[in-house]
Amino acid sequence: GENVEQHPSTLSVQEGDSAVIKCTYSDSASNYFPWYKQELGKGPQLIIDIRSNVGEKKDQRIAVTLNKTAKHFSLHITETQPEDSAVYFCAASRGFGNEKLTFGTGTRLTIIP
Amino acid sequence: NAGVTQTPKFQVLKTGQSMTLQCAQDMNHEYMSWYRQDPGMGLRLIHYSVGAGITDQGEVPNGYNVSRSTTEDFPLRLLSAAPSQTSVYFCASSRDRVNYGYTFGSGTRLTVV
């Protein structure tokens, strides 16, 4: 089955700086790569996703890049703010959607004021 | 819309007891899933359903049963609780399995003693 590795497990950045979280996946047939943000005591929330026919996608301060050849994808957050502090999960699935999503182990991002 | 509602929020069970974790959504979503979240392991898929009357196993289905008699409800049953089932359980739904991301509930924290 699919295996998704996520790094780093913890990340601290100064407010205003950029943060990058990286994931690798094992199944070359995977086509859908979402990112979820989980705040303390809440369920994960989808923040951005990308499909294999696209190399990069941006939404305001958040961007995701995908390298299918190398089987890795990354989340980039620019101009970080205190409300960006949370745990971030990457995920992958063979279909083009949610069916049997495999999640990474999470990155705890802390923004230092 | 209430979104995805999970009950109870907290539960303590004794080994061997059975119980049902409730999940209800009011968004008319076809696709629903149950995940468990353990420290350092991300979220792992237990069972999922693509519509009323249809369920299938995920990555870690042993010890759990599900049914989907209506579009709205997707309960998760623990048949005979074991300490290894101590975890935080999340229910999630999406409009379909391809075009929309998950909406997660706020979770049930289960402790088996």
Side-chain angles (χ1 to χ4, degrees):
Chain A
E2 175 68 278
N3 182 50
V4 177
E5 294 189 358
Q6 184 172 346
H7 300 280
S9 57
T10 61
L11 179 62
S12 295
V13 300
Q14 292 288 141
E15 182 178 352
D17 288 349
S18 297
V20 180
I21 302 170
K22 299 181 179 181
C23 289
T24 61
Y25 60 98
S26 61
D27 189 347
S28 57
S30 288
N31 284 305
Y32 177 62
F33 308 93
W35 286 87
Y36 283 82
K37 174 184 180 183
Q38 186 177 27
E39 297 175 338
L40 194 62
K42 297 183 178 181
Q45 180 180 13
L46 178 70
I47 55 172
I48 195 167
D49 58 13
I50 192 168
R51 290 178 168 82
S52 60
N53 55 349
V54 175
E56 182 176 1
K57 184 176 179 180
K58 295 182 74 172
D59 183 3
Q60 299 182 339
R61 298 186 296 110
I62 293 173
V64 56
T65 58
L66 172 64
N67 183 327
K68 283 220 76 180
T69 303
K71 290 190 285 188
H72 68 70
F73 56 112
S74 300
L75 177 70
H76 305 254
I77 306 174
T78 59
E79 300 173 8
T80 53
Q81 301 169 3
E83 54 265 36
D84 294 329
S85 293
V87 178
Y88 291 81
F89 292 95
C90 62
S93 75
R94 292 191 109 204
F96 279 92
N98 296 318
E99 188 162 350
K100 294 190 175 181
L101 268 181
T102 299
F103 282 82
T105 51
T107 296
R108 181 174 299 278
L109 174 63
T110 302
I111 307 302
I112 305 165
Chain B
N1 286 349
V4 178
T5 302
Q6 289 185 241
T7 56
K9 292 190 183 302
F10 302 95
Q11 183 70 47
V12 178
L13 284 181
K14 293 183 178 179
T15 297
Q17 287 184 319
S18 62
M19 79 159 294
T20 299
L21 279 62
Q22 301 292 343
C23 175
Q25 51 90 9
D26 61 355
M27 299 172 284
N28 200 32
H29 284 178
E30 288 296 317
Y31 196 72
M32 297 185 74
S33 297
W34 275 102
Y35 283 87
R36 60 178 288 173
Q37 184 175 35
D38 302 293
M41 300 189 73
L43 294 105
R44 292 182 292 167
L45 181 64
I46 304 171
H47 286 285
Y48 66 97
S49 169
V50 301
I54 306 169
T55 63
D56 205 348
Q57 296 181 351
E59 179 185 357
V60 288
N62 292 342
Y64 307 94
N65 272 357
V66 292
S67 60
R68 183 100 180 267
S69 56
T70 67
T71 298
E72 295 77 20
D73 299 299
F74 191 42
L76 178 71
R77 282 182 286 276
L78 279 71
L79 310 174
S80 177
S84 61
Q85 294 178 303
T86 294
S87 187
V88 180
Y89 291 85
F90 287 100
C91 179
S93 73
S94 66
R95 193 173 299 182
D96 61 39
R97 58 182 141 170
V98 176
N99 297 308
Y100 299 90
Y102 275 129
T103 298
F104 278 84
S106 57
T108 294
R109 183 174 293 275
L110 176 68
T111 302
V112 183
V113 298

